[in-house]
Amino acid sequence: MAQWEKLRQLESVYLTQVDELYDGDAFPMDVRHYLAHWIEGQDWDRAARDHDVAMLLFQVLLENLDIQHSRFVQGGESFLLQHNIRRFKQSFQRYQEEPYNLANIIQWFLVKEKEILQNAELAEQVQLLQVQQSPMETDSQRNIERKMTDLKNKVQCMEHTVKCLEEQQDEFDFKYQTHNMEGTTNEAEKTEQMKVLQALLNRLDASRKSMLSGMGVLLDGVEELLCVLVREELVQWQRRQQKACIGAPDSTCLDQLEKWFTTEAECLFQVRKFLKKLEELMGKVTYDQDPVKKQKPALQKRVDSLLTSLLKSAFVVETQPSMPQGKGPLVLRTNLQFSVKTRFLVKFPELNHAMKVNVSMDRYRRFNVLGTSSKALNMAESMSGGMVADFRHLTLKEQKSGGGGKGIHDLSLSVTEELHIINFNTEFLLHDMSVSLETSSLPVVIISNSSQQQSAWASILWFNMLCLEPKNLLFFANCPAATWPQLGEMLSWQFLSSTTRGLESNQLDMIAHKLFGKQQSYDACNISWTKFSKENVPNTNFTFWVWFDGILFMVKSHLENLWKDGYKLFMDKTLLKKKQRGTFLLRFSESIRDGGITFSWVDYSPTGEPDVRSVQPFTKVDLGQIPFHEIIRNFQILEEENVPENPLLFLYPDTPKVEAFGKYYTEKSGADSQYIKYIKTKLVFVSKENTLEAKSPMYSDTVECEGSGPMNPRYGLAGEAFGESPSLPLSPGPMFSVAMLVPDEDQNPTLQEFFNDPNMYDYIINQHPTPGWYGGTHFKALLQRAGEDE
């Protein structure tokens, strides 16, 4: 069943979430509904990364809106529907220059829809099984649970004590009033009654003292637990959230903390209730040296202080600010929507929709927060029923006057190093207890152009990797260095969060070797912020972070299956020198800015010396044309006076190539095609040995070939008459240039253009002057006839 149809069949609570998801103008629900089948059938993730794909989908989207409008007209639908479709099409025109932004937005909405579906399915499973899985408890959690249970027992005992105290006081009060009303004149009897009253008063005094002492002990336990919750558990959660924002697989679930905070708050409100009862009892019966009169104010002050501290700490940012189009959270762009969610960990049903949360910005640089900047904490926007305020459609607009720009700080920081905080405030009011609550996001970087996003994300990574003070906005004014264990772990998280597989120790060693040179151990090595993201890598024009991020993008976009299946891509080619001929390994280029991957293989000279060769790296442009596994499958090297061959036989250490990559192969022979009359073709990479050709602008790597000179891979069309049959000898010359990829030129020439290229005829005639069915003259005629058929 289609995703949209599944959403429409959900219960009302989830339909409300869908309605709120499409509450803004970023992507209209009408378009999602009427174009549901087409929208779900497109690869929006790829479109968000590929401008050409994004532009194609953008144009098809507009065409589909026109088609839908025609259907409304023909079907006699309401004028309003027709008007809305036209309006939506006009609104989408703003993405004409950057269609990938629209692709990003649509992809974000589809992901959010899946989350709602998953939450609904999970809730249904829990309801059916009547069991809820709980994570494994740690010793600390078990200790807190034990103390929480002990605290609740003490509160229950205290409640019983208060009732007993009230009964004692009622007994004393009754007998005291009776004594006064009877007014006996018998001195002996009067003395006896006074002894009884004094004994009752002494017992009442002792009970009051005991209760007040018990309250002190109970508050000691509350304070101890509060310290654990606020200074340990909450701080640890905040640190886990910091790391999760930069890819760490840490849990940021707040349900357990909410349970503890709520229990503690309930206990403190019970103590306040007990103190209020004591005050009432004291108003009825008091006496000299009354302990309630002496101790109650201090206890009241203490319980209110503890409760205030608890409530202030219970207001947190559950989901940090993020944009649908961002590389990750905490990077915001002016005039583009972002979302953020706050949560109050004291879950009292009577507070549902009672507390308004307001959003504001810090004053380092002045921004206006646009959108719905005030929302009530409620239980409907959280799957666990927590008290949340989910801001989904906020935008930032920089003020150009009245203190805009750099603001009050005169710092030599770039825009991507300036940190800002988004603040949230609300008012807690319950049982005559009023507390102003404030919380803030982790520092965000605010950019105005997508070109700044890569640098901004580097700042977010560095800050959350190293800084334990979330409000340190001047972090980059005196930026600390990172140790290699810290940096290596963070780099691994980038792969883990993007591809579900992190970096292995040997891969991390390869990266450390690139940064620090050969070391016995890298644990003591440090890297500065400048070296990480500002200084160019030696002999290149880009930084380490740009290089690493380019590789990450290439893996995510073109090599994800290979990466997830455990293929090693960070390797040292010297490992090949003791391997059998044809053994090859895969490795990333170190000299291509946006990511490049190559393969190296070993051959042996007549004297038995190993000869390790490497082909010029393939870029994302290359892999956008031919999948990497197909390049490996069909790659050929043209050697002097030899038939072209694929030198790649065994994937390191000794896995046959077909066994390693066979499952990825996709044979597209066209046997079922109506165009079977044409010569079948295959787009492959070919290298010509011992020939230095002009480098295409698409490459920035120096071609490597130990012992045999550089090797330059080229695109070529291999047909059934070229390289498919071993009986047809081929010239060692380069493949035809008609299919070579050159930037800013049509990368997919038509078959007619292939036939019309005079260079191809000259090539075949020169290489095969002897007449024959595969020779120059006859083949030229054959191609001409095929061109006429075309």
Side-chain angles (χ1 to χ4, degrees):
M1 186 184 299
Q3 181 169 303
W4 186 248
E5 288 301 316
K6 290 182 180 179
L7 286 170
R8 294 176 61 192
Q9 297 179 17
L10 295 178
E11 296 179 3
S12 58
V13 63
Y14 301 105
L15 288 176
T16 301
Q17 294 180 29
V18 176
D19 186 61
E20 290 172 347
L21 176 64
Y22 286 94
D23 187 39
D25 297 325
F27 190 59
M29 183 185 285
D30 303 58
V31 176
R32 177 67 178 96
H33 175 75
Y34 289 111
L35 303 184
H37 180 73
W38 177 80
I39 288 173
E40 293 176 28
Q42 311 311 311
D43 189 354
W44 298 105
D45 186 49
R46 181 184 175 190
R49 303 187 303 266
D50 190 319
H51 181 275
D52 292 336
V53 176
M55 179 56 73
L56 176 62
L57 292 183
F58 173 76
Q59 293 170 347
V60 176
L61 173 63
L62 298 184
E63 292 173 4
N64 283 332
L65 291 175
D66 285 336
I67 293 171
Q68 189 62 46
H69 179 265
S70 299
R71 289 172 181 165
F72 286 157
V73 174
Q74 295 171 6
E77 298 290 347
S78 70
F79 176 78
L80 181 60
L81 287 175
Q82 300 175 34
H83 168 75
N84 285 341
I85 287 294
R86 288 197 304 270
R87 182 168 60 86
F88 297 148
K89 179 183 176 182
Q90 184 65 32
S91 175
F92 286 142
Q93 295 294 341
R94 66 183 186 272
Y95 297 107
Q96 181 74 38
E97 297 300 325
E98 297 179 331
Y100 48 84
N101 281 341
L102 178 59
N104 249 320
I105 291 172
I106 296 176
Q107 174 71 3
W108 183 81
F109 275 89
L110 293 176
V111 170
K112 290 296 182 183
E113 287 178 3
K114 287 181 180 178
E115 291 177 1
I116 294 174
L117 282 173
Q118 290 169 356
N119 290 331
E121 292 170 359
L122 178 61
E124 183 179 0
Q125 292 172 5
V126 171
Q127 186 176 7
L128 290 174
L129 298 174
Q130 291 296 308
V131 63
Q132 186 167 357
Q133 297 291 333
S134 59
M136 185 177 295
E137 288 186 333
T138 64
D139 290 340
S140 174
Q141 290 174 332
R142 283 192 289 268
N143 187 41
I144 293 174
E145 286 288 348
R146 180 180 59 79
K147 290 183 177 180
M148 282 289 178
T149 302
D150 183 54
L151 179 61
K152 288 188 288 186
N153 290 337
K154 286 182 178 179
V155 170
Q156 290 176 353
C157 291
M158 183 69 64
E159 187 175 17
H160 177 70
T161 302
V162 171
K163 291 180 180 179
C164 292
L165 180 64
E166 186 176 13
E167 291 173 357
Q168 287 181 10
Q169 181 165 315
D170 287 345
E171 181 185 4
F172 170 81
D173 189 49
F174 174 77
K175 290 186 177 182
Y176 181 75
Q177 296 297 336
T178 302
H179 169 73
N180 288 338
M181 290 175 63
E182 289 179 350
T184 181
T185 57
N186 187 317
E187 289 297 327
E189 187 176 335
K190 188 176 182 179
T191 301
E192 187 62 30
Q193 288 178 353
M194 290 302 295
K195 286 183 179 179
V196 172
L197 289 173
Q198 187 63 53
L200 288 174
L201 184 60
N202 290 342
R203 192 175 69 165
L204 179 62
D205 182 67
S207 295
R208 285 187 174 184
K209 288 179 179 177
S210 176
M211 181 178 176
L212 292 168
S213 176
M215 279 191 179
V217 173
L218 190 151
L219 291 179
D220 288 341
V222 169
E223 187 171 6
E224 180 184 351
L225 265 176
L226 182 62
C227 288
V228 173
L229 290 182
V230 174
R231 298 178 185 175
E232 296 180 21
E233 293 296 324
L234 186 60
V235 169
Q236 290 173 14
W237 173 82
Q238 290 170 335
R239 181 56 185 156
R240 289 198 303 273
Q241 188 188 50
Q242 262 193 290
K243 295 194 295 182
C245 283
I246 57 174
D250 290 2
S251 171
T252 57
C253 179
L254 282 168
D255 293 349
Q256 184 63 69
L257 269 177
E258 180 186 73
K259 175 185 173 184
W260 290 336
F261 270 81
T262 302
T263 298
E264 183 112 337
E266 289 172 343
C267 290
L268 284 169
F269 272 109
Q270 281 289 89
V271 174
R272 291 184 89 246
K273 184 179 177 182
F274 299 154
L275 287 171
K276 188 173 184 180
K277 188 66 177 179
L278 279 178
E279 189 173 8
E280 292 176 4
L281 294 176
M282 186 181 67
K284 296 177 181 179
V285 176
T286 189
Y287 45 89
D288 292 340
Q289 305 300 317
D290 186 346
V292 175
K293 186 182 297 184
K294 291 183 177 181
Q295 299 180 37
K296 191 263 180 183
L299 286 172
Q300 186 73 56
K301 183 178 180 180
R302 186 181 181 193
V303 72
D304 287 351
S305 175
L306 290 172
L307 188 52
T308 299
S309 178
L310 177 72
L311 294 173
K312 284 181 175 292
S313 300
F315 189 37
V316 299
V317 176
E318 179 177 17
T319 304
Q320 293 294 331
S322 63
M323 299 187 305
Q325 306 94 325
K327 290 178 70 67
L330 303 173
V331 175
L332 306 181
R333 182 176 169 184
T334 53
N335 303 317
L336 290 184
Q337 287 188 352
F338 69 93
S339 61
V340 60
K341 183 190 293 185
T342 61
R343 183 165 175 173
F344 187 48
L345 299 179
V346 175
K347 183 181 173 182
F348 287 169
E350 55 266 44
L351 293 175
N352 194 27
H353 292 284
M355 298 171 62
K356 290 282 187 180
V357 180
N358 301 305
V359 186
S360 61
M361 281 293 298
D362 63 26
R363 297 186 178 278
Y364 180 45
R365 283 169 70 194
R366 295 178 181 272
F367 291 89
N368 291 325
V369 181
L370 306 181
T372 305
S373 57
S374 179
K375 291 195 70 174
L377 289 165
N378 66 89
M379 299 180 182
E381 294 186 309
S382 171
M383 290 310 303
S384 63
M387 297 281 293
V388 304
D390 193 355
F391 298 89
R392 301 180 182 178
H393 308 294
L394 298 177
T395 56
L396 297 176
K397 184 175 180 62
E398 187 172 358
Q399 298 178 3
K400 296 301 182 182
S401 61
K406 290 283 185 178
I408 61 174
H409 297 284
D410 184 17
L411 297 174
S412 57
L413 297 177
S414 66
V415 169
T416 57
E417 293 175 320
E418 293 177 8
L419 302 177
H420 311 270
I421 285 179
I422 301 176
N423 298 311
F424 305 87
N425 65 80
T426 186
E427 189 76 18
F428 176 90
L429 182 59
L430 184 68
H431 304 316
D432 72 9
M433 183 77 176
S434 177
V435 183
S436 296
L437 308 180
E438 295 180 354
T439 190
S440 57
S441 70
L442 289 170
V444 300
V445 173
I446 302 175
I447 61 176
S448 57
N449 191 287
S450 59
S451 63
Q452 299 168 318
Q453 197 163 97
Q454 188 177 53
S455 296
W457 181 236
S459 298
I460 293 300
L461 292 175
W462 201 262
F463 178 90
N464 290 288
M465 173 178 61
L466 297 177
C467 188
L468 302 180
E469 301 176 27
K471 293 189 177 183
N472 181 10
L473 300 184
L474 301 181
F475 175 78
F476 286 102
N478 186 22
C479 189
T483 65
W484 167 246
Q486 290 173 318
L487 179 63
E489 184 179 44
M490 183 270 284
L491 296 179
S492 182
W493 291 341
Q494 304 314 295
F495 274 89
L496 182 64
S497 60
S498 297
T499 67
T500 70
R501 178 186 165 222
L503 296 170
E504 298 175 0
S505 58
N506 61 334
Q507 295 168 333
L508 288 169
D509 286 344
M510 285 287 295
I511 297 173
H513 181 234
K514 175 181 177 66
L515 284 170
F516 308 111
K518 187 64 176 177
Q519 304 281 343
Q520 189 69 25
S521 171
Y522 298 100
D523 290 349
C525 294
N526 294 330
I527 180 172
S528 68
W529 165 242
T530 300
K531 185 174 181 180
F532 175 75
S533 72
K534 290 187 172 184
E535 292 180 354
N536 288 340
V537 176
N539 302 318
T540 71
N541 62 347
F542 50 84
T543 65
F544 169 81
W545 166 245
V546 168
W547 171 79
F548 182 87
D549 193 46
I551 287 176
L552 181 61
F553 178 84
M554 172 172 276
V555 170
K556 176 64 177 174
S557 304
H558 303 291
L559 305 169
E560 189 168 6
N561 288 335
L562 293 176
W563 182 261
K564 284 182 177 179
D565 288 345
Y567 288 83
K568 302 181 186 302
L569 303 178
F570 287 95
M571 298 193 72
D572 186 346
K573 63 184 179 181
T574 59
L575 297 171
L576 296 170
K577 291 190 174 181
K578 294 184 179 180
K579 290 297 178 179
Q580 60 181 315
R581 177 184 178 276
T583 302
F584 67 98
L585 51 77
L586 316 176
R587 62 188 186 86
F588 291 115
S589 167
E590 296 187 8
S591 57
I592 292 184
R593 178 187 181 90
D594 296 323
I597 188 168
T598 184
F599 41 77
S600 301
W601 70 92
V602 64
D603 201 348
Y604 285 88
S605 67
T607 60
E609 292 295 320
D611 182 11
V612 177
R613 307 181 182 187
S614 298
V615 74
Q616 183 166 322
F618 305 94
T619 68
K620 61 184 180 182
V621 177
D622 301 326
L623 301 188
Q625 297 295 316
I626 309 178
F628 192 51
H629 56 266
E630 292 294 332
I631 293 175
I632 295 173
R633 177 188 185 185
N634 300 307
F635 178 77
Q636 293 181 351
I637 180 172
L638 301 179
E639 298 185 355
E640 292 291 346
E641 301 178 357
N642 286 315
V643 175
E645 65 170 343
N646 189 322
L648 313 178
L649 304 178
F650 305 98
L651 178 64
Y652 183 89
D654 54 12
T655 306
K657 180 176 65 176
V658 174
E659 182 180 330
F661 298 98
K663 63 180 179 179
Y664 304 112
Y665 293 164
T666 53
E667 189 63 44
K668 296 182 180 179
S669 62
D672 300 325
S673 170
Q674 58 178 316
Y675 304 109
I676 190 65
K677 60 183 179 179
Y678 299 125
I679 299 174
K680 291 181 288 184
T681 62
K682 183 183 295 180
L683 194 60
V684 299
F685 273 97
V686 178
S687 286
K688 182 179 179 182
E689 191 180 25
N690 297 329
T691 303
L692 273 172
E693 302 185 43
K695 293 180 64 176
S696 168
M698 62 186 283
Y699 298 115
S700 61
D701 251 51
T702 300
V703 186
E704 301 176 40
C705 181
E706 296 183 5
S708 298
M711 306 178 66
N712 191 7
R714 301 303 237 178
Y715 280 111
L717 283 174
E720 290 185 338
F722 295 95
E724 296 282 359
S725 172
S727 63
L728 303 177
L730 291 178
S731 164
M735 295 300 286
F736 303 127
S737 62
V738 284
M740 287 167 50
L741 283 180
V742 181
D744 301 323
E745 291 186 12
D746 184 3
Q747 296 179 357
N748 296 288
T750 65
L751 187 57
Q752 185 61 56
E753 291 172 334
F754 177 81
F755 293 145
N756 291 341
D757 190 340
N759 295 328
M760 181 190 67
Y761 301 137
D762 294 339
Y763 175 83
I764 296 175
I765 292 171
N766 291 334
Q767 297 297 329
H768 300 282
T770 304
W773 78 270
Y774 62 89
T777 305
H778 188 85
F779 194 76
K780 179 175 181 181
L782 174 63
L783 291 180
Q784 286 176 332
R785 287 199 298 274
E788 292 168 0
D789 292 339
E790 176 71 9

mmCIF file of all heavy atoms in Angstrom, residues 469-489:
data_model
loop_
_atom_site.group_PDB
_atom_site.id
_atom_site.type_symbol
_atom_site.label_atom_id
_atom_site.label_comp_id
_atom_site.label_asym_id
_atom_site.label_seq_id
_atom_site.Cartn_x
_atom_site.Cartn_y
_atom_site.Cartn_z
ATOM 1 N N GLU A 469 30.637 23.143 27.664
ATOM 2 C CA GLU A 469 29.863 24.294 28.137
ATOM 3 C C GLU A 469 28.966 24.757 26.988
ATOM 4 O O GLU A 469 29.399 25.536 26.130
ATOM 5 C CB GLU A 469 30.797 25.425 28.559
ATOM 6 C CG GLU A 469 31.759 25.038 29.676
ATOM 7 C CD GLU A 469 32.734 26.155 30.000
ATOM 8 O OE1 GLU A 469 32.378 27.336 29.771
ATOM 9 O OE2 GLU A 469 33.841 25.855 30.453
ATOM 10 N N PRO A 470 27.722 24.300 26.962
ATOM 11 C CA PRO A 470 26.856 24.569 25.811
ATOM 12 C C PRO A 470 26.587 26.048 25.537
ATOM 13 O O PRO A 470 26.163 26.388 24.434
ATOM 14 C CB PRO A 470 25.556 23.838 26.182
ATOM 15 C CG PRO A 470 25.964 22.796 27.165
ATOM 16 C CD PRO A 470 27.092 23.395 27.935
ATOM 17 N N LYS A 471 26.830 26.913 26.500
ATOM 18 C CA LYS A 471 26.558 28.334 26.274
ATOM 19 C C LYS A 471 27.824 29.136 25.989
ATOM 20 O O LYS A 471 27.807 30.364 26.027
ATOM 21 C CB LYS A 471 25.824 28.920 27.477
ATOM 22 C CG LYS A 471 24.419 28.367 27.652
ATOM 23 C CD LYS A 471 23.634 29.119 28.710
ATOM 24 C CE LYS A 471 22.209 28.591 28.810
ATOM 25 N NZ LYS A 471 21.395 29.340 29.789
ATOM 26 N N ASN A 472 28.906 28.467 25.679
ATOM 27 C CA ASN A 472 30.167 29.148 25.390
ATOM 28 C C ASN A 472 30.166 29.642 23.938
ATOM 29 O O ASN A 472 30.671 28.978 23.031
ATOM 30 C CB ASN A 472 31.342 28.200 25.640
ATOM 31 C CG ASN A 472 32.677 28.868 25.390
ATOM 32 O OD1 ASN A 472 32.756 30.090 25.204
ATOM 33 N ND2 ASN A 472 33.731 28.080 25.373
ATOM 34 N N LEU A 473 29.615 30.835 23.732
ATOM 35 C CA LEU A 473 29.497 31.378 22.382
ATOM 36 C C LEU A 473 30.824 31.878 21.829
ATOM 37 O O LEU A 473 30.941 32.129 20.630
ATOM 38 C CB LEU A 473 28.474 32.510 22.361
ATOM 39 C CG LEU A 473 27.046 32.134 22.779
ATOM 40 C CD1 LEU A 473 26.117 33.324 22.605
ATOM 41 C CD2 LEU A 473 26.539 30.946 21.982
ATOM 42 N N LEU A 474 31.827 32.033 22.688
ATOM 43 C CA LEU A 474 33.139 32.510 22.235
ATOM 44 C C LEU A 474 34.130 31.360 22.079
ATOM 45 O O LEU A 474 35.335 31.554 22.126
ATOM 46 C CB LEU A 474 33.681 33.544 23.225
ATOM 47 C CG LEU A 474 32.798 34.775 23.442
ATOM 48 C CD1 LEU A 474 33.450 35.731 24.428
ATOM 49 C CD2 LEU A 474 32.518 35.475 22.129
ATOM 50 N N PHE A 475 33.598 30.170 21.883
ATOM 51 C CA PHE A 475 34.425 28.966 21.782
ATOM 52 C C PHE A 475 35.515 29.107 20.725
ATOM 53 O O PHE A 475 36.677 28.762 20.957
ATOM 54 C CB PHE A 475 33.523 27.775 21.460
ATOM 55 C CG PHE A 475 34.254 26.491 21.206
ATOM 56 C CD1 PHE A 475 34.748 25.729 22.252
ATOM 57 C CD2 PHE A 475 34.448 26.035 19.904
ATOM 58 C CE1 PHE A 475 35.419 24.535 22.015
ATOM 59 C CE2 PHE A 475 35.116 24.844 19.660
ATOM 60 C CZ PHE A 475 35.601 24.093 20.717
ATOM 61 N N PHE A 476 35.158 29.630 19.556
ATOM 62 C CA PHE A 476 36.121 29.691 18.452
ATOM 63 C C PHE A 476 37.078 30.874 18.563
ATOM 64 O O PHE A 476 37.993 30.997 17.748
ATOM 65 C CB PHE A 476 35.386 29.721 17.110
ATOM 66 C CG PHE A 476 34.802 28.391 16.739
ATOM 67 C CD1 PHE A 476 33.450 28.148 16.901
ATOM 68 C CD2 PHE A 476 35.596 27.371 16.260
ATOM 69 C CE1 PHE A 476 32.899 26.912 16.575
ATOM 70 C CE2 PHE A 476 35.076 26.128 15.937
ATOM 71 C CZ PHE A 476 33.714 25.903 16.094
ATOM 72 N N ALA A 477 36.866 31.729 19.564
ATOM 73 C CA ALA A 477 37.831 32.803 19.784
ATOM 74 C C ALA A 477 39.119 32.259 20.392
ATOM 75 O O ALA A 477 40.202 32.835 20.239
ATOM 76 C CB ALA A 477 37.232 33.865 20.702
ATOM 77 N N ASN A 478 39.015 31.151 21.093
ATOM 78 C CA ASN A 478 40.181 30.487 21.681
ATOM 79 C C ASN A 478 39.941 28.984 21.581
ATOM 80 O O ASN A 478 39.701 28.300 22.574
ATOM 81 C CB ASN A 478 40.371 30.931 23.134
ATOM 82 C CG ASN A 478 41.648 30.380 23.740
ATOM 83 O OD1 ASN A 478 42.585 30.012 23.034
ATOM 84 N ND2 ASN A 478 41.678 30.286 25.058
ATOM 85 N N CYS A 479 40.010 28.493 20.371
ATOM 86 C CA CYS A 479 39.544 27.138 20.074
ATOM 87 C C CYS A 479 40.581 26.085 20.477
ATOM 88 O O CYS A 479 41.750 26.162 20.088
ATOM 89 C CB CYS A 479 39.255 27.026 18.582
ATOM 90 S SG CYS A 479 38.444 25.496 18.139
ATOM 91 N N PRO A 480 40.180 25.089 21.267
ATOM 92 C CA PRO A 480 41.128 24.038 21.674
ATOM 93 C C PRO A 480 41.396 23.047 20.545
ATOM 94 O O PRO A 480 40.622 22.946 19.590
ATOM 95 C CB PRO A 480 40.411 23.356 22.839
ATOM 96 C CG PRO A 480 38.958 23.547 22.543
ATOM 97 C CD PRO A 480 38.850 24.891 21.878
ATOM 98 N N ALA A 481 42.488 22.340 20.684
ATOM 99 C CA ALA A 481 42.815 21.273 19.735
ATOM 100 C C ALA A 481 42.111 19.990 20.144
ATOM 101 O O ALA A 481 41.659 19.838 21.279
ATOM 102 C CB ALA A 481 44.330 21.058 19.689
ATOM 103 N N ALA A 482 42.016 19.069 19.212
ATOM 104 C CA ALA A 482 41.407 17.765 19.479
ATOM 105 C C ALA A 482 42.477 16.692 19.474
ATOM 106 O O ALA A 482 43.439 16.756 18.702
ATOM 107 C CB ALA A 482 40.343 17.447 18.431
ATOM 108 N N THR A 483 42.320 15.711 20.335
ATOM 109 C CA THR A 483 43.210 14.555 20.290
ATOM 110 C C THR A 483 42.770 13.647 19.150
ATOM 111 O O THR A 483 41.611 13.701 18.711
ATOM 112 C CB THR A 483 43.169 13.781 21.608
ATOM 113 O OG1 THR A 483 41.845 13.219 21.788
ATOM 114 C CG2 THR A 483 43.492 14.698 22.788
ATOM 115 N N TRP A 484 43.661 12.810 18.682
ATOM 116 C CA TRP A 484 43.294 11.909 17.600
ATOM 117 C C TRP A 484 42.173 10.954 18.012
ATOM 118 O O TRP A 484 41.243 10.728 17.222
ATOM 119 C CB TRP A 484 44.500 11.132 17.092
ATOM 120 C CG TRP A 484 44.073 9.995 16.208
ATOM 121 C CD1 TRP A 484 44.204 8.668 16.424
ATOM 122 C CD2 TRP A 484 43.381 10.120 14.950
ATOM 123 N NE1 TRP A 484 43.648 7.952 15.406
ATOM 124 C CE2 TRP A 484 43.134 8.806 14.483
ATOM 125 C CE3 TRP A 484 42.938 11.195 14.196
ATOM 126 C CZ2 TRP A 484 42.470 8.558 13.286
ATOM 127 C CZ3 TRP A 484 42.266 10.939 13.005
ATOM 128 C CH2 TRP A 484 42.046 9.635 12.560
ATOM 129 N N PRO A 485 42.175 10.377 19.236
ATOM 130 C CA PRO A 485 41.035 9.523 19.604
ATOM 131 C C PRO A 485 39.703 10.263 19.520
ATOM 132 O O PRO A 485 38.705 9.682 19.082
ATOM 133 C CB PRO A 485 41.364 9.103 21.042
ATOM 134 C CG PRO A 485 42.856 9.119 21.092
ATOM 135 C CD PRO A 485 43.250 10.299 20.246
ATOM 136 N N GLN A 486 39.671 11.529 19.921
ATOM 137 C CA GLN A 486 38.429 12.299 19.809
ATOM 138 C C GLN A 486 38.041 12.514 18.358
ATOM 139 O O GLN A 486 36.885 12.291 17.962
ATOM 140 C CB GLN A 486 38.597 13.664 20.497
ATOM 141 C CG GLN A 486 38.691 13.611 22.003
ATOM 142 C CD GLN A 486 39.019 14.967 22.607
ATOM 143 O OE1 GLN A 486 39.863 15.707 22.088
ATOM 144 N NE2 GLN A 486 38.367 15.297 23.714
ATOM 145 N N LEU A 487 39.005 12.946 17.551
ATOM 146 C CA LEU A 487 38.720 13.225 16.148
ATOM 147 C C LEU A 487 38.347 11.950 15.397
ATOM 148 O O LEU A 487 37.385 11.933 14.616
ATOM 149 C CB LEU A 487 39.928 13.885 15.490
ATOM 150 C CG LEU A 487 39.772 14.209 13.999
ATOM 151 C CD1 LEU A 487 38.657 15.219 13.787
ATOM 152 C CD2 LEU A 487 41.082 14.721 13.414
ATOM 153 N N GLY A 488 39.100 10.876 15.624
ATOM 154 C CA GLY A 488 38.822 9.622 14.928
ATOM 155 C C GLY A 488 37.423 9.108 15.228
ATOM 156 O O GLY A 488 36.715 8.631 14.328
ATOM 157 N N GLU A 489 37.013 9.213 16.488
ATOM 158 C CA GLU A 489 35.666 8.777 16.862
ATOM 159 C C GLU A 489 34.611 9.619 16.152
ATOM 160 O O GLU A 489 33.625 9.093 15.632
ATOM 161 C CB GLU A 489 35.502 8.884 18.378
ATOM 162 C CG GLU A 489 34.162 8.368 18.887
ATOM 163 C CD GLU A 489 34.049 8.477 20.395
ATOM 164 O OE1 GLU A 489 34.433 9.539 20.957
ATOM 165 O OE2 GLU A 489 33.587 7.509 21.030
#
